[in-house]
Amino acid sequence: MKPRVAVLFGFGINCDHETKAVFELVGAEADRVHVNRFVSGESSLEAYDILAVPGGFSFGDHLGSGRLLGNRMRFAMRDALRTFVEAGKPIIGICNGFQVLVKTGLLPGPASGAPPDFVQRGSLTLNDSGRYEDRWVTLEFDPESPCIWTKGMTRIECPVRHGEGKYVMPSPEDVDRLQEHHQLTVRYVDPVTEPGKGISDQLLPYPISPNGSMRNIAGICDATGLVFGLMPHPEAIYARWLHPLHTRQHDVSHGASLDGWEGEGLQMFRNAVEYVKQRS
Amino acid sequence: MRDVRGDVVRRQLMADHGLDVKAVRSICGYLINGETPSNNIEARVDDLFADPIIEHGATNTTLLTTEAFSSPPDAVITVGFKPGVTDNPGKAATDGFLTLFPTDTDATIATYITYVFYGLPEDCSADWLAGTLHNTLIERALVANKTECSTGQWPELTFPTPPEQVFIEPQAIDLEINDEALITLSEEGLLALNLNEMHAIQGHYRDETTREQRAAMGISPDAPTDVELECLAQTWSEHCKHKIFASKIHHVDHETGEDTVVDSIFKTHIMKPTHDMQKEVDWLLSVFHDNSGVIAWDDKWSVCMKAETHNSPSALDPYGGAMTGIVGVNRDILGTGLGARPIANTDVFCFGPPDWEGNLPENLFHPSRVLRGVHAGVRVGGNESGIPTVNGAIVFDDRYIGKPLVYCGTVGLMPRHLPDGRPSHIKTPVAGDIVYMVGGRVGYDGIHGATFSSLELTEESPSSAVQIGDPITQKKMLDMVLEARDAGLITCITDNGAGGLSSSIGEMAEYTNGCEIDLAKVPLKQAGLSPWEILVSESQERMTIAVRPEDQAAFESLASLHEVEATPVATFTSTGMFHVRYGEATVAYLPIEFLHDGVPQLELESEWRSPQIPAFSPPRNANHNLLLERMLKRPNIASKETWVRQYDHEVIAQTAIKPFVGIKRDGPGDAGVIAPIHGDPHGLVISCGIAPRYSDIDAGAMAAASIDEAVRNAVCVGLDVDKMAGLDNFCWPDPIESTKTPDGRFKLAQLVRANRELERVCRAYRLPCVSGKDSMKNDYGSGPDKISIPPTLLFSLFGDHPDVRFSATSDFKQVGDIIYLVGASKQELGASELAFMLTESGEAVGVGGQVPQLPEPTKNLDRYRALSQTIRDGLVTTAHDCSEGGLAVALAEMCIGGRIGAHIDIDGTGEGDAWGRLWGESLGRIVVAVSPEHNDAFLAAMKGHETTVLGRVTAETTLVIEDGLDELLSLDVETMVEAWKGTLDLTGGVA
């Protein structure tokens, strides 16, 4: 059985096509489903095993990125989302999707064991630079994170493309609590550090940290490790030909399509699909 | 918490004016016009208007009175939109409000921003400050100065309620008046019709058959209604009909003695060559007649491309003008065939110098403010629409102060066949199909855009000609339309751009030979619009779509799912008539044929004499090190990274060659390469060429150079030269001789020469032009103060790349790689960037002399074919186009991209002296680097094609250039990086 993935779209979500594609490349069956199809009941979230909220500019980021789509989901899909999370099904939010999950309160969510309460605990706000930028960053993953999406991943390079990616919480203690539970799943790191040793709590300079996030946070998960969001775009490096330096790596054959050319972002989607397969 | 919005303003004031402000804070304000009691709203502020983690919120009072602002500021400025101007955050807020208060269905919200200044220098006036923060054409600002701040008199904007529009019943307009009165009628009504055209219209209403038909319809038999006259003015505008390109031109060349007549430049030099080429290849699916040109890309997919300009609106409101430019050309793609999906944008801008210190004519913004606004508009339009900006350019010249050029291009992708089997590039409407207006509503904004852009810019240019795009409304529409297409619901689709419904329905009605429109059904932004205004308004984000009657229910339900407004407003007929009603009353009744083909052909005079400008001669004892540093700082050459990096260039996960290349990802990319089908490395190359300053010597050479540059750029990444197509976008100063334009004959001769070269080069390159556009009134003012742009051709190219895994980039990669010049240098320094730099500084007397020529294009093509094949064979991974600044700048950029040095000898690279070989801009040249292991294979492949060894990539981080025994320059890579990257930030940085 192929795991079924609902890739949300509508109202300015933009990365729905490639998000659908990467799930299909790792063996899932993915549908682009308009938000309103879930709201109206025409489609049922329950029929899916994974939910992806892709990147984009839902409602133009007006009134704060992710806020308006977050509200639609928080108020019009509340029960369906709660059931989905409580059923232990994985959710990913990428870029605008991450912003949406944070504004709905699904991320970082309540402490371990509690059901989703849709209370916003952190926020994503304007980059310190004041600019929207598309630039490649280096990411490292907390190996002890409960996050099912990042298992076995150490370091990848991929682009950020956002103007509001600075993750903040009301106090350092709030971040401490997440860090203790290894929910600070992924962080921006200096590319010159040794892989596996790049994670730092000290604020790294622009543009290594492109936005000034607390503790260089690029993405977080909830207490269960099933709900995960990040600002950078792992789907944008599904193939190595999308890497900015690929013309420097000519050690590969003219083989068919992705043969020898798989990009390092694809593993994240494979992890979730494999997780679902093993559970069923 | 940092106030980043405020910080940006603070940094910008420092960068633009050297103004040192201690702190700026910002407040986002929302004016709510609805039924919901304010205490209900107050309870939900943190759910919608304020972020509970990072922001303060207050209801029914300004935040300035709260603890959040305890110390008194030095100035407070509140900026909001004028009534009727598109307020995108307001629209989003209204949508969000409805989520929380679903019963308050008529609520509307308007937004404003308040800037709060602390530590303002004493001599800085708050009113002046307000001027830097808003555009009076579209925004209003209220100011509190220091005294007012100390006494708590805060600026408070009221809800921007648009003034009532006065509905004017359609009326007949008497054309039986003398010629002078006809001209006055045209000018005062902003119709932009000349006397000949007014006569043609007059003639139509004198025809007996016409009068009988009209009498039978109950419409004024012998005079046009205002609806008809406006409709004809839009349809016959230069903007829509390209009358200059279609004109009969008497061309005299005083140098060759030629005296000929050119009957339509467009048909002769653009259409004919493409149609000839169409007979030789099987991949040209649709050229010229649709909203964009379509080529078959493989068995399953076709691609299309279109570029437009949005110059006049961008001069008046850089942000809104540019945004409507980019989202407008996206709609051209969506309106191609039965609907294509926009997958890539290109942006090319021409501005005045960003560091301009001279006078600015009345009503014009400083070039740096134009740059910032245009960039922001295109950035928001492209990014929010989820379309990557993969290629572009920014060009600077003094003369663009009068009119900036804003070229926006879009590439589209569509399946060759729809699920129901219909070829997607062919529209299939039949009489009886229902015509929907889909997307935004019609408002007073955007009236007279097409005719306005056909006039020169003046101080009185109307504000209604400016609009702000709404990418989210458009994105919803785009999602919906593509679903409708795949469901087989669309029989015909086109964009509502210039001329509004009158053009969109009018053009589509040609397919079935007739239509009947009811303007009373058109949804309006505000009540009271008169019928002619509804017909011609260019309000944005609208498509016109035809649907079979039996598919109406499915189409409407899809629209409702996507929350897109779709209203049936017309029916296709086969009556031969463009029939417009308002309710029951007929308000326009024009023969389709007269509407589209009735405009009389212009007859124009063209005379060529080469312009006399002092020849460039280089100074003695030059220090080429210093020259290279200075050249790298020239705005035309310097890195545009600050600006370009703010475009999303890789959404859709397809961009294989990005605008930035090299180890630090900051070297220049020559062309964009995308692989749009996920998992498949089959690619598409997108590039452009532009060389407006060559027009100072010869606009023909300018055109040839632009085309060659576009091709060279594409070859550098591995284009298959046997499958490429081009777009010609001409921007010209008014070339019609008149009292306002005494040199019209010369400007028209420039146009003739440019088009002749376009034909010659495109035929030689087997490069069909599949779509194009012209903008022919790029002047500001009149008399001695008149500013005319240099004649400018943007040539955009899209072509096939069989496998993006085998591409090349401009950065030097490996020590020891052998560097070659493919092509040869000539003594061609006329109108070069070096000549301009040294003439501006007084080190040379003029930019004249030999401008780069393209004498043997066929040879170039053969060379390009051979070179691009070596790239696709994996032999070459480094290639860079040689253009502005010649070989020296190309090599410097390649060192910058690789952060690595090179040792070069330019001896033997062509005829001419060291200046010509180092700085000359001869066409047809590409620098490549080849690793030693591939050297033999590379040389074998390039046998018979001019290829000269230049030197090697070296471990020392220095670029050394020698000419035989003479060392010309030796410059450290980091020095070059600093020069190249340090010029064009203009924003005050990021901290």
Side-chain angles (χ1 to χ4, degrees):
Chain A
M1 175 221 90
K2 282 186 168 188
R4 294 191 66 196
V5 184
V7 177
L8 217 56
F9 89 108
F11 304 116
I13 288 174
N14 290 332
C15 300
D16 40 326
H17 287 275
E18 61 264 41
T19 306
K20 170 178 152 72
V22 291
F23 278 108
E24 286 172 345
L25 285 170
V26 295
E29 187 186 315
D31 296 330
R32 291 165 61 238
V33 187
H34 194 282
V35 180
N36 278 354
R37 288 209 161 91
F38 284 133
V39 171
S40 70
E42 188 186 327
S43 298
S44 159
L45 188 56
E46 234 181 315
Y48 291 93
D49 305 302
I50 295 174
L51 172 66
V53 190
F57 269 92
S58 57
F59 295 99
D61 274 1
H62 299 302
L63 288 82
S65 55
R67 161 72 57 190
L68 295 179
L69 183 56
N71 274 357
R72 290 243 184 164
M73 292 171 65
R74 193 151 69 111
F75 298 117
M77 290 174 62
R78 198 184 189 97
D79 293 337
L81 281 170
R82 196 201 313 264
T83 311
F84 196 86
V85 172
E86 290 190 311
K89 294 178 175 180
I91 299 179
I92 190 168
I94 301 170
C95 194
N96 194 220
F98 180 32
Q99 293 162 337
V100 166
L101 296 184
V102 167
K103 305 290 169 87
T104 59
L106 282 173
L107 282 176
S112 184
D117 56 5
F118 298 95
V119 173
Q120 183 180 340
R121 292 180 171 81
S123 196
L124 286 149
T125 182
L126 292 166
N127 298 348
D128 277 352
S129 69
R131 292 181 189 163
Y132 174 100
E133 284 192 331
D134 177 342
R135 65 165 68 245
W136 281 63
V137 292
T138 306
L139 303 176
E140 229 171 84
F141 302 91
D142 179 347
E144 293 174 61
S145 175
C147 183
I148 65 108
W149 293 85
T150 59
K151 290 282 177 247
M153 298 177 76
T154 306
R155 172 178 285 200
I156 70 169
E157 290 180 303
C158 67
V160 288
R161 311 193 303 254
H162 62 246
E164 299 185 34
K166 178 179 175 177
Y167 184 77
V168 292
M169 296 187 88
S171 75
E173 293 73 35
D174 296 317
V175 190
D176 289 342
R177 271 192 292 281
L178 292 186
Q179 192 160 355
E180 280 160 26
H181 295 93
H182 299 281
Q183 286 174 256
L184 307 184
T185 308
V186 52
R187 308 220 227 162
Y188 304 105
V189 299
D190 189 336
V192 305
T193 55
E194 195 185 318
K197 295 186 175 165
I199 288 180
S200 162
D201 288 346
Q202 295 300 312
L203 196 60
L204 291 168
Y206 169 90
I208 294 171
S209 162
N211 47 35
S213 267
M214 290 173 106
R215 295 183 208 180
N216 312 304
I217 293 170
I220 57 173
C221 67
D222 74 347
T224 67
L226 288 162
V227 185
F228 172 53
L230 75 171
M231 287 311 300
H233 287 271
E235 81 285 4
I237 183 62
Y238 81 84
R240 279 173 56 195
W241 62 70
L242 300 173
H243 193 284
L245 301 189
H246 81 84
T247 59
R248 288 174 172 257
Q249 308 162 341
H250 263 260
D251 52 338
V252 282
S253 69
H254 270 87
S257 63
L258 277 181
D259 254 2
W261 281 86
E262 178 176 323
E264 46 192 2
L266 209 52
Q267 186 58 34
M268 195 176 281
F269 305 95
R270 185 178 287 122
N271 277 339
V273 168
E274 291 304 318
Y275 173 85
V276 170
K277 279 187 185 165
Q278 279 161 21
R279 260 182 97 227
S280 59
Chain B
M1 276 307 155
R2 252 176 108 146
D3 188 327
V4 173
R5 253 183 225 99
D7 282 351
V8 169
V9 170
R10 180 177 52 76
R11 292 196 292 255
Q12 194 67 58
L13 287 168
M14 179 51 108
D16 284 357
H17 308 288
L19 189 73
D20 192 1
V21 184
K22 193 160 155 250
V24 183
R25 293 185 60 187
S26 65
I27 300 170
C28 297
Y30 302 90
L31 301 166
I32 302 165
N33 200 347
E35 305 286 319
T36 309
S38 64
N39 53 341
N40 292 14
I41 297 173
E42 191 161 13
R44 306 297 296 273
V45 164
D46 282 354
D47 276 334
L48 181 61
F49 298 104
D51 184 311
I53 309 294
I54 53 176
E55 291 172 330
H56 300 283
T59 314
N60 283 339
T61 175
T62 163
L63 271 176
L64 288 160
T65 62
T66 68
E67 281 175 8
F69 290 85
S70 46
S71 60
D74 292 346
V76 171
I77 296 165
T78 292
V79 178
F81 291 106
K82 281 186 168 173
V85 176
T86 301
D87 178 353
N88 286 324
K91 266 193 208 179
T94 306
D95 191 294
F97 192 77
L98 212 58
T99 304
L100 299 187
F101 305 102
T103 56
D104 200 351
T105 48
D106 290 332
T108 48
I109 297 179
T111 63
Y112 63 83
I113 293 190
T114 298
Y115 301 98
V116 185
F117 294 84
Y118 295 94
L120 206 58
E122 287 293 329
D123 57 349
C124 178
S125 122
D127 287 320
W128 172 86
L129 205 52
T132 68
L133 289 170
H134 81 296
N135 178 357
T136 52
L137 195 64
I138 53 163
E139 289 165 320
R140 53 206 176 124
L142 291 179
V143 176
N145 60 25
K146 195 162 185 173
T147 321
E148 286 153 346
C149 287
S150 65
T151 54
Q153 299 174 64
W154 308 119
E156 281 188 49
L157 281 176
T158 50
F159 194 91
T161 308
E164 290 287 316
Q165 292 297 315
V166 184
F167 182 90
I168 301 167
E169 290 287 346
Q171 48 195 313
I173 294 176
D174 183 10
L175 290 189
E176 295 303 331
I177 51 180
N178 67 31
D179 288 356
E180 206 178 316
L182 283 175
I183 286 297
T184 311
L185 180 67
S186 169
E187 280 176 1
E188 288 182 352
L190 277 177
L191 300 178
L193 293 167
N194 68 25
L195 186 59
N196 226 359
E197 291 155 357
M198 291 300 277
H199 282 158
I201 296 172
Q202 194 181 47
H204 174 71
Y205 292 91
R206 286 176 178 170
D207 179 77
E208 273 314 315
T209 326
T210 302
R211 289 183 172 183
E212 280 163 26
Q213 281 178 345
R214 295 176 64 81
M217 287 312 296
I219 184 169
S220 64
D222 51 2
T225 61
D226 53 358
V227 180
E228 290 174 320
L229 198 55
E230 289 285 350
C231 175
L232 285 165
Q234 299 300 320
T235 312
W236 290 9
S237 66
E238 175 57 42
H239 189 97
C240 295
K241 269 281 177 263
H242 313 287
K243 292 182 284 198
I244 295 169
F245 266 76
S247 70
K248 189 170 279 179
I249 296 174
H250 176 217
H251 178 68
V252 175
D253 186 328
H254 290 286
E255 288 172 3
T256 61
E258 180 192 358
D259 187 323
T260 44
V261 171
V262 184
D263 187 359
S264 175
I265 288 177
F266 174 64
K267 284 189 181 151
T268 311
H269 297 302
I270 300 174
M271 200 180 217
K272 176 87 169 46
T274 296
H275 281 155
D276 288 348
M277 285 182 246
Q278 200 170 18
K279 290 173 198 143
E280 292 168 19
V281 297
D282 60 358
W283 45 266
L284 282 172
L285 295 181
S286 167
V287 292
F288 302 123
H289 72 273
D290 205 338
N291 289 311
S292 71
V294 187
I295 68 171
W297 183 52
D298 62 19
D299 293 345
K300 281 192 195 148
W301 299 92
S302 54
V303 290
C304 55
M305 186 172 181
K306 171 66 167 255
E308 282 272 9
T309 51
H310 230 225
N311 308 333
S312 298
S314 302
L316 298 175
D317 174 25
Y319 176 75
M323 200 206 291
T324 40
I326 190 68
V327 296
V329 73
N330 293 163
R331 286 197 307 276
D332 279 319
I333 294 305
L334 187 60
T336 295
L338 294 168
R341 179 179 162 224
I343 55 164
N345 285 336
T346 63
D347 305 316
V348 176
F349 309 140
C350 302
F351 297 129
D355 53 354
W356 179 252
E357 288 178 357
N359 285 335
L360 276 182
E362 202 75 21
N363 217 20
L364 295 181
F365 293 116
H366 189 274
S368 66
R369 186 161 170 181
V370 177
L371 161 63
R372 201 159 67 230
V374 165
H375 170 266
V378 162
R379 180 191 75 218
V380 169
N383 290 358
E384 292 191 7
S385 304
I387 303 166
T389 299
V390 298
N391 188 246
I394 309 180
V395 177
F396 299 97
D397 183 277
D398 294 359
R399 291 158 287 182
Y400 294 119
I401 287 176
K403 187 89 90 91
L405 302 185
V406 176
Y407 292 96
C408 298
T410 303
V411 178
L413 177 75
M414 54 182 164
R416 293 277 296 272
H417 292 91
L418 297 185
D420 63 16
R422 285 181 297 161
S424 62
H425 65 281
I426 298 171
K427 300 184 199 291
T428 57
V430 294
D433 284 356
I434 309 298
V435 183
Y436 282 81
M437 188 180 97
V438 178
R441 295 183 154 217
V442 172
Y444 187 68
D445 53 346
I447 290 187
H448 278 156
T451 49
F452 160 64
S453 69
S454 305
L455 299 165
E456 80 277 11
L457 207 52
T458 67
E459 289 169 45
E460 288 83 35
S461 299
S463 65
S464 68
V466 171
Q467 298 191 65
I468 296 177
D470 173 0
I472 295 307
T473 294
Q474 178 148 321
K475 173 72 177 163
K476 288 194 286 187
M477 174 174 77
L478 195 141
D479 287 343
M480 178 249 163
V481 167
L482 293 176
E483 265 196 60
R485 176 197 73 182
D486 291 341
L489 301 176
I490 295 175
T491 67
C492 195
I493 177 168
T494 199
D495 158 42
N496 272 283
L501 289 173
S502 98
S503 291
S504 69
I505 302 184
E507 282 166 24
M508 294 204 321
E510 276 191 285
Y511 285 97
T512 64
N513 198 29
C515 64
E516 193 171 332
I517 308 174
D518 184 357
L519 295 175
K521 289 188 179 157
V522 175
L524 304 178
K525 288 183 185 173
Q526 62 205 103
L529 257 65
S530 308
W532 74 266
E533 292 173 318
I534 299 171
L535 189 62
V536 305
S537 167
E538 296 170 11
S539 290
Q540 296 288 304
E541 290 84 38
R542 290 180 296 148
M543 299 297 291
T544 296
I545 298 176
V547 173
R548 286 176 294 263
E550 61 267 32
D551 292 330
Q552 278 185 273
F555 186 79
E556 287 177 20
S557 110
L558 202 53
S560 130
L561 174 88
H562 286 263
E563 300 180 22
V564 170
E565 199 161 16
T567 315
V569 297
T571 309
F572 281 141
T573 65
S574 53
T575 59
M577 299 306 286
F578 182 75
H579 184 181
V580 184
R581 289 183 288 110
Y582 188 85
E584 289 304 308
T586 290
V587 296
Y589 195 67
L590 291 165
I592 293 278
E593 200 182 344
F594 178 66
L595 182 62
H596 290 296
D597 303 323
V599 59
Q601 190 180 26
L602 283 176
E603 296 193 9
L604 301 174
E605 293 292 327
S606 158
E607 256 180 79
W608 175 254
R609 281 187 188 87
S610 286
Q612 298 301 308
I613 46 174
F616 170 72
S617 68
R620 287 179 197 178
N621 305 326
N623 177 337
H624 288 286
N625 273 2
L626 271 181
L627 285 179
L628 180 54
E629 248 192 280
R630 284 168 64 193
M631 285 286 276
L632 291 171
K633 290 180 182 171
R634 297 278 291 171
N636 277 327
I637 288 171
S639 167
K640 281 87 184 167
E641 182 177 354
T642 296
W643 305 97
V644 177
R645 196 166 281 300
Q646 296 183 50
Y647 302 136
D648 189 333
H649 51 260
E650 46 199 338
V651 59
I652 309 185
Q654 58 178 2
T655 313
I657 301 293
K658 307 173 205 294
F660 303 106
V661 302
I663 50 165
K664 301 236 172 174
R665 294 142 197 190
D666 59 359
D670 285 291
V673 178
I674 57 174
I677 306 302
H678 295 115
D680 184 347
H682 185 193
L684 190 70
V685 179
I686 298 140
S687 69
C688 69
I690 186 165
R693 286 172 154 186
Y694 293 178
S695 290
D696 286 9
I697 296 174
D698 178 7
M702 179 279 293
S706 307
I707 301 162
D708 188 55
E709 186 184 13
V711 177
R712 280 193 323 266
N713 275 325
V715 165
C716 285
V717 297
L719 165 80
D720 174 0
V721 296
D722 292 315
K723 193 168 183 181
M724 56 180 177
L727 311 181
D728 55 288
N729 282 78
F730 287 86
C731 283
W732 233 251
D734 186 0
I736 301 178
E737 186 181 35
S738 69
T739 48
K740 279 188 292 189
T741 311
D743 56 350
R745 291 180 182 218
F746 171 70
K747 286 169 173 166
L748 190 61
Q750 290 183 304
L751 188 67
V752 171
R753 291 175 74 85
N755 278 280
R756 287 179 170 179
E757 278 295 274
L758 178 88
E759 173 175 2
R760 181 180 72 89
V761 176
C762 284
R763 280 190 187 274
Y765 282 177
R766 303 161 65 85
L767 169 54
C769 292
V770 296
S771 176
K773 209 73 195 256
D774 55 273
S775 163
M776 303 303 291
K777 307 274 169 168
N778 292 292
D779 308 276
Y780 176 86
S782 57
D785 298 330
K786 177 169 174 172
I787 309 174
S788 293
I789 63 152
T792 308
L793 168 67
L794 168 68
F795 198 86
S796 311
L797 181 148
F798 62 123
D800 194 41
H801 194 309
D803 190 338
V804 304
R805 297 175 297 183
F806 299 88
S807 304
T809 49
S810 72
D811 49 310
F812 283 137
K813 295 180 180 66
Q814 192 69 45
V815 173
D817 283 1
I818 304 154
I819 305 167
Y820 291 92
L821 177 67
V822 177
S825 306
K826 294 172 208 144
Q827 190 67 13
E828 293 175 322
L829 286 157
S832 63
E833 188 64 27
L834 182 82
F836 271 93
M837 181 175 83
L838 295 178
T839 303
E840 283 164 22
S841 66
E843 291 159 273
V845 294
V847 302
Q850 185 58 54
V851 71
Q853 300 287 309
L854 198 53
E856 295 177 297
T858 316
K859 264 192 170 174
N860 287 16
L861 181 67
D862 292 342
R863 196 160 65 233
Y864 295 158
R865 185 181 287 112
L867 176 61
S868 63
Q869 189 62 52
T870 65
I871 294 170
R872 295 197 302 277
D873 287 343
L875 300 177
V876 173
T877 57
T878 303
H880 190 31
D881 156 53
C882 231
S883 54
E884 291 96 336
L887 189 58
V889 166
L891 288 165
E893 290 175 341
M894 298 173 86
C895 290
I896 290 170
R899 291 298 196 282
I900 199 165
H903 198 123
I904 302 293
D905 183 354
I906 61 168
D907 192 16
T909 54
E911 57 200 63
D913 63 19
W915 287 88
R917 281 174 284 131
L918 192 59
W919 301 106
E921 299 178 1
S922 296
L923 306 178
R925 295 179 305 163
I926 292 170
V927 181
V928 303
V930 183
S931 71
E933 56 173 310
H934 294 315
N935 196 41
D936 291 346
F938 171 74
L939 285 175
M942 294 306 291
K943 197 158 187 238
H945 307 289
E946 277 172 312
T947 301
T948 315
V949 178
L950 282 173
R952 285 202 182 240
V953 179
T954 58
E956 296 86 55
T957 52
T958 310
L959 170 62
V960 179
I961 302 183
E962 292 161 351
D963 183 18
L965 296 176
D966 302 330
E967 182 176 290
L968 297 176
L969 67 82
S970 167
L971 203 60
D972 178 60
V973 174
E974 278 311 311
T975 308
M976 299 194 291
V977 169
E978 215 168 288
W980 191 65
K981 292 186 73 171
T983 305
L984 275 184
D985 179 74
L986 311 172
T987 65
V990 294

